[in-house]
Amino acid sequence: MQHSNIAGEVVPSLAEPPRDCPLCPRLVAYRRENQELYPDYFNGPAPSFGDRNARLLVVGLAPGRKGANRTGRPFTGDYAGTLLYETLIKYGFATGKFEARIDDSLQLVGSAVTNAVRCAPPGNKPETSEENTCRPFLKARLDMFPNLKAIVTLGDVSRRNVLKTLGLKASAGIPGHGSEFQAGPYRIFNSYHCSRLNTNTGRLTTPMFEELFARVRAYVDAAD
C-alpha cells in the first residue's frame, strides 16, 4: 500500500488503495486510457488529504478526470475545489491559499477530504459495484480518525456510501441539502455537490454552502 496524504501519517495504510489498484476493471481500463492520453497526470486512486486529527471529514463522490485524477489531491484541479477549499479556509478548517495545484500553500486544520470512490469514473458516474468495492477503504479511513465528530457529504452518492460504511441503510437519515442527523458516533451534514453544474444553475449557491459549514463549525466546537 502507498502512503497517504493525511498530514503526519508516516506508515502505509489500508485506508488508501495502491496507485495501481486492480479491483474495478472498468476504472482500471479508464485509468489506462487516461495514462495514454495524459501521461503527465496522476492517473490513480486519489489519496485522502488533510489532518490525521480531523474532527471534520468531507466526503465527495469520485475524482474528476481533469481534477484530482490530474493532480492527485481531492478537489484539486477543477472548479469544485475552489468553493470547497475557500469555504474551509473561511470557517477555520484550512489555512493558506488554494491555487488548484498540489504545491500551493493550502493546509487542512482539523479537517480532511476524501472520496467515496477513489478512482476517476467515466462520465463522473461510478457504478454501484465500484462503490461497493471501494467502500472498505472509506471504512478504514473513518476508523483512523480518533477525533472525528462530523461528516459533510457532497451529493447523494456520498451520503449513501457514508451511511452504508457506518452499517446503516442508504435510506437512513434525512436527504436533501442542509439536512443534518446523527449516524452512529458522527453528525452528518448533507450538501449538494459543489460542482460547476450545481453552482452555475443556482442549485447550490455560495451562501447555501457557507451556511452549512457555519453550522458544522458550531457543532464541532460545541462537541469539544
Side-chain angles (χ1 to χ4, degrees), residues 48-214:
S48 307
F49 168 56
D51 185 346
R52 68 174 177 175
N53 294 313
R55 294 177 295 164
L56 164 66
L57 178 65
V58 179
V59 181
L61 168 59
R65 185 182 198 181
K66 295 187 177 180
N69 181 65
R70 175 168 65 86
T71 64
R73 191 175 76 181
F75 291 89
T76 301
D78 53 15
Y79 174 80
T82 301
L83 178 56
L84 173 61
Y85 287 123
E86 288 183 356
T87 302
L88 290 176
I89 291 169
K90 180 172 183 175
Y91 289 96
F93 290 113
T95 61
K97 184 177 180 181
F98 174 67
E99 300 180 57
R101 51 188 176 84
I102 60 172
D103 60 346
D104 58 20
S105 60
L106 179 72
Q107 292 188 0
L108 301 191
V109 180
S111 68
V113 180
T114 193
N115 281 302
V117 174
R118 302 298 181 82
C119 290
N124 291 323
K125 294 180 180 180
E127 295 180 347
T128 301
S129 61
E130 293 158 353
E131 296 174 28
N132 294 340
T133 298
C134 211
R135 193 168 301 125
F137 296 112
L138 179 57
K139 184 179 188 308
R141 176 47 67 196
L142 281 173
D143 291 344
M144 295 181 72
F145 287 124
N147 301 315
L148 191 62
K149 307 294 183 184
I151 301 174
V152 170
T153 58
L154 300 178
D156 282 341
V157 172
S158 169
R159 179 180 57 83
R160 293 196 305 268
N161 274 277
V162 166
L163 290 172
K164 289 181 179 180
T165 298
L166 296 174
L168 302 172
K169 292 182 179 180
S171 58
I174 307 167
H177 177 84
S179 69
E180 63 175 275
F181 56 90
Q182 197 68 23
Y186 310 120
R187 192 71 174 172
I188 308 297
F189 295 80
N190 294 323
S191 174
Y192 293 144
H193 196 282
C194 48
S195 65
R196 183 181 292 276
L197 175 63
N198 282 342
T199 55
N200 280 353
T201 59
R203 187 168 190 254
L204 177 66
T205 65
T206 297
M208 288 169 61
F209 202 60
E210 291 185 349
E211 188 276 333
L212 183 137
F213 275 90

